[in-house]
Amino acid sequence: MTTWVRDFSDISTDISADMLADVGGKAANLGELTRAGLPVPPGFCVTTDAYREVAAAAGADGSHDAATTRALILGTAMPDAISEAITRAYAALGADVPVAVRSSATAEDLPFASFAGQQDTYLNVVGIGDVLDAVRRCWASLWTDRAFAYRATNGIDNRTVRLAVVVQRMVQSEVAGVMFTADPVTGRRHEYVLDASPGLGEAVVSGAVNPDHFVVRDGAIVERRLGDKRVVIRSLPGGGTERLERESGAADACVTDDQVIALAALGAEVERHYGAPQDTEWAIDAEGALWLTQSRPITTLYPLPDQSQEDTRVYFSITVAQGLYRPITPSGLATFRLLATSVAREILGLTVADPVAGPSAFAEIGGRGYIDVTAAVRSEVGRAIVPKVLGVMEARSGAALSSLFDDPRFALRPGSRRKAVLRLLRLAVRFRVPLRVLQAVISPRAAHRFVDSVGRDIRRRIALHPGATPVERLDHVEQVLLRHLFPVVPRVMPSAAAGFLLLGLAGKIVGRPGEVQAVLRGVPHNITTEMDLELWHLATRIRESDAVSQFREESPERLAERYLAGTLPDVGLAEFLEVWGDRAVAEIDVGMPRWSDDPTHILGVLANYLRLADQEAAPDVVFARGTAQARAAIDRLVAQAPRRKRILRFALNRARDLAGIREMPKYFLVIALGSVREHLKAIGAELAEAGRIARPDDVFFLDFKQIRSALGGTDQHERISGNREAYEQELRRRRIPRVMLSDGTDVEAISRPVAAADGSLPGTPASAGSITGTARVVLDPVGAHLEPGEILVAPSTDPGWTPLFLTAGGLVMEMGGANSHGAVVAREYGIPAVVGVADATHRITTGQTITVDGATGVVTPVPA
């Protein structure tokens, strides 16, 4: 028998998929809280079966647009059986009792998407006629434009959603508001954030009022900010509400301190019940009783790390520092764990109990890689080195870590200095760092020969005989990652460091460190620049070929399909991919397709290049001009120097000869990861053929232990489905903490600089010069359309992005420091660049005119 109505007390405390399908998220939560004995006003739920019955009669199957579907539902009469069930349930609440009528969609109040405010709410509804009308209008509000768009953003199929309706006795509140049981801005857990205002809570929920604001931590009010509370919404006798606006706001708090503490305690009880932070709505009636009118998960909080330590820990995201805001695939995270084990064992001399699981300092949080840097923050040497390194590589992370130095939870620990210095000295001796630096200063040619030999050694070690079994391939992958890959960094980086040390020396001689950056334009021996110029030369060959019209007229996706099918004219793309095919966007994740797997991005970049008509703006011309400008800058700086002219010229020339080596460790890593990916693809093909996974590329949604289990015969279909779902949910997350605490605090959120009064955005100077032009915000370079001369605004960049630099007029990045990858390449091309600009992709819009000043590190919007 179909159930049209359920009382809150009849809704199971087990919020299963079946229960959600029956009553929706809001009603399921209210039913659970009611049965748990929490102070919830009584009420009932009109089930999704009732909506389904009406929608079927109306022909509203989700195939129409929002407005049409809304009209169909409003124009359909409610069946008698449903209206009679609602009438009986309403009468059970009391004679003509005022109620609130709210939506409870199956895609609402969910752990990953709250849908707060997407459907309509009707307050102080009195009488069965008005209740039935409000229920019908609630059903129709499932198809408001805002709800329709929200579902599209969260990847929810309109044909699958249903709507239940909550009918709940009104609390005629003296004061009401909202409460978060974790700070929604900083992410800090067990910090209760309350907004309160007189009257009904709708004024606070809708944002119509400037409420009183309180923050409670450890049972005490730690922050208090009183609003003017000019707007009050109150119930009217006989039904409906009125909005009152007072000329002068209330100066006193609308709740007492005791009430604030009591509300926080209620919030803690709700959070304990659900085991997760909650976004609640509450009310206090005329008798002073506290009521909980709604509770839903806070869906925007970044996940917490799994940790065994009781003290607060500091985590730094190594994947965000590498320019990846997106989550890493399970196989990609597995490689990071092994690389972290390699660093711990081979570099730091630490013991790792389970090499495949990684050292205890490595943490997977939100599908991204983090490192516990608490010991470094509590160490004198760590405080001296880490912020300086990050200051030139990822300035915002460095500033966030430095902001913790005054926090008593991270006070310096005695004895840490000597231990850290000895460890650094051992590393320097083991990898012959002083010798490599001296060799590079004396003979850059010898340094380059040594780097080339490291590359040959890596290629030799990653090779494996072609007849290897899947188990042999997995064993080989683990050994390469554990033993041979990361030591490349301390072997190669000293040569690049020599160049930057000499550049620093030159800056001190000149007395103006910023000016010496000009000598790094058109730097030779930079593997990324060489790749970009090769791609430009390929575009030139295409421009001169008979196939140019195809490359201009067909989409990159279609061209990629033709290339992989072997039907695209031979213009040199295969030769380019033979050399550079291991590269990709987000290339440090082995789960991401390489250019050789999917050349869509490269073909899109080639299409951008073919639109470049100004030959003076051609990348090879710009690069040559940059080289000439750099040499002229050396002559000018030497001529202006009051002393040590010969040393200055030597230092500047050596810096140019050696700076390009900076890209080589990453390049060798990418080559090795490309080989790892090929081995995993071969394993995936075997597993798919055996039926243990659905298709070969599913292997990238397993970690190495799970792959080994699959090779042992375990079916992995269900695990892959769960891993993919978690990955795709994280793909939708936009704000990722670069430095976070174990209590959830996003450190930058409590110390982030704000835009100036004129709207200008501060960042880190990266490449000198100034340009005013049209901004193009690009979140994913694959398929990006960048007109020549536009200013590229991006969250971050890795070498997979740099082909876009060749025709960009300027660069603005949320990530990076003065010597980060994007900054280095921008300088080489002579593109004005500012990096480390917080929230640049949110604050700047495509088509907006902005000025990028790469010398001062400021981005300024230009008034229309």
Side-chain angles (χ1 to χ4, degrees):
M1 180 178 177
T2 304
T3 302
W4 305 119
V5 169
R6 284 185 183 274
D7 189 85
F8 287 172
S9 60
D10 294 332
I11 296 174
S12 170
T13 56
D14 177 19
I15 301 183
S16 62
D18 289 341
M19 181 57 66
L20 285 172
D22 188 31
V23 300
K26 184 182 285 95
N29 287 338
L30 289 171
E32 180 169 353
L33 293 171
T34 297
R35 290 170 66 97
L38 289 163
V40 175
F44 61 90
C45 168
V46 183
T47 67
T48 58
D49 285 337
Y51 171 83
R52 189 180 293 110
E53 184 86 359
V54 172
D61 59 0
S63 61
H64 304 91
D65 61 39
T68 301
T69 307
R70 212 161 49 239
L72 287 171
I73 291 173
L74 287 172
T76 301
M78 185 183 296
D80 291 343
I82 297 174
S83 61
E84 289 168 3
I86 295 173
T87 300
R88 287 193 298 271
Y90 176 63
L93 294 178
D96 286 339
V97 64
V99 293
V101 181
R102 296 186 174 97
S103 67
S104 180
T106 52
E108 185 174 44
D109 293 352
L110 302 179
F112 66 92
S114 73
F115 274 78
Q118 299 306 309
Q119 281 81 233
D120 292 342
T121 292
Y122 302 94
L123 300 176
N124 201 40
V125 181
V126 178
I128 186 58
D130 286 347
V131 169
L132 293 173
D133 181 61
V135 169
R136 184 170 24 248
R137 284 185 287 158
C138 253
W139 285 337
S141 73
L142 182 64
W143 300 98
T144 60
D145 292 337
R146 64 181 182 271
F148 196 89
Y150 195 91
R151 288 195 293 272
T153 300
N154 285 278
I156 296 172
D157 189 344
N158 284 309
R159 294 169 298 182
T160 66
V161 293
R162 301 288 183 269
L163 189 77
V165 177
V166 165
V167 180
Q168 186 177 28
R169 194 184 71 195
M170 278 288 295
V171 177
Q172 302 299 350
S173 53
E174 290 296 304
V175 61
V178 299
M179 172 174 55
F180 295 92
T181 67
D183 192 315
V185 176
T186 68
R188 183 168 182 167
R189 304 312 202 262
H190 307 302
E191 187 165 82
Y192 303 90
V193 180
L194 296 90
D195 287 337
S197 191
L200 302 181
E202 178 65 15
V204 179
V205 173
S206 65
V209 69
N210 181 19
D212 291 342
H213 178 82
F214 303 90
V215 177
V216 177
R217 188 188 310 143
D218 297 329
I221 299 173
V222 296
E223 184 180 331
R224 181 196 313 267
R225 187 174 65 248
L226 301 186
D228 55 33
K229 305 178 286 294
R230 290 176 181 269
V231 175
V232 178
I233 297 176
R234 295 196 183 279
S235 296
L236 288 171
T241 60
E242 65 176 347
R243 173 182 170 130
L244 305 174
E245 296 193 26
R246 300 180 290 193
E247 291 186 7
S248 59
D252 297 331
C254 62
V255 285
T256 67
D257 286 5
D258 287 345
Q259 287 174 325
V260 171
I261 298 300
L263 283 166
L266 176 61
E269 190 175 354
V270 175
E271 180 174 324
R272 278 195 301 272
H273 177 77
Y274 281 110
Q278 298 291 300
D279 167 6
T280 68
E281 296 177 21
W282 53 269
I284 302 176
D285 64 20
E287 285 73 41
L290 273 59
W291 294 95
L292 188 66
T293 59
Q294 194 162 305
S295 183
R296 62 173 72 90
I298 305 176
T299 60
T300 56
L301 293 174
Y302 198 74
L304 292 177
D306 293 328
Q307 66 165 54
S308 56
Q309 299 95 328
E310 293 184 2
D311 63 335
T312 305
R313 312 296 293 179
V314 184
Y315 291 90
F316 163 66
S317 177
I318 53 174
T319 53
V320 171
Q322 284 293 316
L324 266 71
Y325 280 91
R326 64 182 298 139
I328 309 298
T329 60
S331 62
L333 284 167
T335 65
F336 273 99
R337 290 191 198 97
L338 287 167
L339 289 172
T341 297
S342 176
V343 173
R345 294 200 315 193
E346 305 295 327
I347 307 297
L348 302 178
L350 302 177
T351 300
V352 179
D354 184 351
V356 178
S360 59
F362 181 85
E364 175 191 333
I365 313 174
R368 295 160 181 91
Y370 284 78
I371 295 291
D372 184 340
V373 294
T374 312
V377 174
R378 290 171 172 164
S379 158
E380 285 186 71
V381 175
R383 291 188 177 193
I385 294 177
V386 174
K388 287 185 173 62
V389 172
L390 290 177
V392 297
M393 303 302 295
E394 217 299 280
R396 287 170 60 189
S397 294
L401 283 171
S402 297
S403 72
L404 298 173
F405 292 170
D406 293 330
D407 190 320
R409 292 174 294 178
F410 309 112
L412 288 171
R413 294 285 176 89
S416 61
R417 182 175 184 177
R418 181 176 179 275
K419 185 177 179 180
V421 169
L422 289 175
R423 179 171 289 170
L424 288 173
L425 288 175
R426 283 197 298 268
L427 279 175
V429 171
R430 179 183 173 190
F431 290 100
R432 304 180 181 181
V433 172
L435 177 63
R436 298 300 176 204
V437 170
L438 183 61
Q439 178 194 53
V441 172
I442 295 172
S443 174
R445 186 172 298 178
H448 286 292
R449 285 198 301 268
F450 174 72
V451 171
D452 290 342
S453 73
V454 172
R456 289 192 298 272
D457 182 56
I458 283 293
R459 289 180 173 86
R460 178 180 62 80
R461 292 181 182 278
I462 63 178
L464 184 65
H465 64 88
T469 67
V471 172
E472 287 176 331
R473 288 181 184 275
L474 186 57
D475 291 341
H476 176 69
V477 161
E478 291 181 354
Q479 287 307 304
V480 166
L481 294 170
L482 279 172
R483 298 180 56 193
H484 305 309
L485 197 48
F486 198 84
V488 167
V489 176
R491 292 175 69 193
V492 172
M493 280 308 290
S495 299
F500 287 106
L501 288 172
L502 289 170
L503 191 69
L505 173 63
K508 290 186 176 181
I509 294 174
V510 170
R512 300 178 301 278
E515 290 192 23
V516 300
Q517 296 290 339
V519 307
L520 296 182
R521 290 189 172 181
V523 165
H525 312 299
N526 185 315
I527 196 73
T528 304
T529 305
E530 291 172 7
M531 174 191 73
D532 293 342
L533 291 176
E534 280 295 320
L535 189 58
W536 168 252
H537 294 147
L538 174 58
T540 302
R541 290 198 296 275
I542 293 172
R543 193 190 302 271
E544 297 168 352
S545 74
D546 295 336
V548 63
S549 60
Q550 299 177 44
F551 281 83
R552 282 178 169 155
E553 295 167 8
E554 295 187 26
S555 70
E557 292 79 9
R558 175 59 184 150
L559 290 171
E561 289 176 7
R562 292 183 58 196
Y563 171 78
L564 294 173
T567 62
L568 193 67
D570 182 11
V571 290
L573 180 58
E575 289 84 351
F576 176 86
L577 293 176
E578 181 68 27
V579 177
W580 306 105
D582 284 330
R583 308 227 72 157
V585 175
E587 59 194 2
I588 61 173
D589 182 356
V590 296
M592 295 299 292
R594 310 291 109 168
W595 289 343
S596 55
D597 298 321
D598 180 4
T600 300
H601 173 51
I602 288 300
L603 290 162
V605 172
L606 288 170
N608 286 338
Y609 289 176
L610 293 174
R611 286 193 290 271
L612 183 62
D614 183 1
Q615 290 305 306
E616 286 302 304
D620 51 355
V621 174
V622 171
F623 189 79
R625 188 161 56 239
T627 300
Q629 290 170 346
R631 299 205 176 281
I634 292 175
D635 292 339
R636 174 175 53 80
L637 290 169
V638 171
Q640 294 173 350
R643 55 195 175 84
R644 301 180 180 175
K645 292 178 181 288
R646 292 179 62 186
I647 295 176
L648 178 60
R649 184 178 293 278
F650 176 85
L652 292 173
N653 280 319
R654 282 292 189 268
R656 278 186 57 78
D657 287 338
L658 297 170
I661 295 176
R662 175 199 175 281
E663 296 289 303
M664 295 308 295
K666 174 78 172 287
Y667 177 63
F668 293 150
L669 173 67
V670 168
I671 288 175
L673 292 180
S675 174
V676 168
R677 179 177 170 83
E678 289 302 310
H679 288 306
L680 293 179
K681 283 169 62 179
I683 294 171
E686 295 266 358
L687 291 175
E689 186 176 351
R692 292 170 207 149
I693 64 177
R695 55 181 188 267
D697 66 349
D698 278 349
V699 74
F700 298 113
F701 285 87
L702 297 171
D703 63 28
F704 289 172
K705 288 186 176 181
Q706 293 161 359
I707 292 173
R708 196 171 291 280
S709 176
L711 290 173
T714 304
D715 182 277
Q716 296 290 345
H717 288 80
E718 186 175 346
R719 187 181 298 276
I720 288 168
S721 177
N723 289 349
R724 276 190 183 273
E725 183 179 355
Y727 178 82
E728 287 164 5
Q729 285 182 21
E730 281 299 323
L731 275 176
R732 295 195 288 269
R733 194 184 297 277
R734 288 295 303 275
R735 197 172 300 282
I736 315 299
R738 47 192 17 88
V739 178
M740 69 178 292
L741 304 184
S742 53
D743 65 5
T745 302
D746 179 346
V747 174
E748 196 179 33
I750 57 178
S751 60
R752 179 178 295 159
V754 298
D758 62 356
S760 60
L761 306 176
T764 299
S767 178
S770 179
I771 183 173
T772 298
T774 302
R776 173 76 65 171
V777 178
V778 178
L779 302 179
D780 185 346
V782 178
H785 181 97
L786 187 71
E787 289 293 336
E790 287 186 325
I791 297 170
L792 174 62
V793 182
S796 61
T797 65
D798 62 13
W801 284 72
T802 57
L804 292 174
F805 287 24
L806 271 66
T807 56
L811 173 68
V812 177
M813 278 186 0
E814 293 180 338
M815 292 285 302
N819 282 330
S820 62
H821 172 80
V824 170
V825 177
R827 280 196 297 271
E828 293 188 13
Y829 291 151
I831 302 170
V834 178
V835 301
V837 181
D839 296 329
T841 60
H842 296 272
R843 295 176 175 175
I844 300 170
T845 58
T846 293
Q848 184 179 6
T849 302
I850 60 174
T851 297
V852 177
D853 190 331
T856 63
V858 174
V859 180
T860 307
V862 177

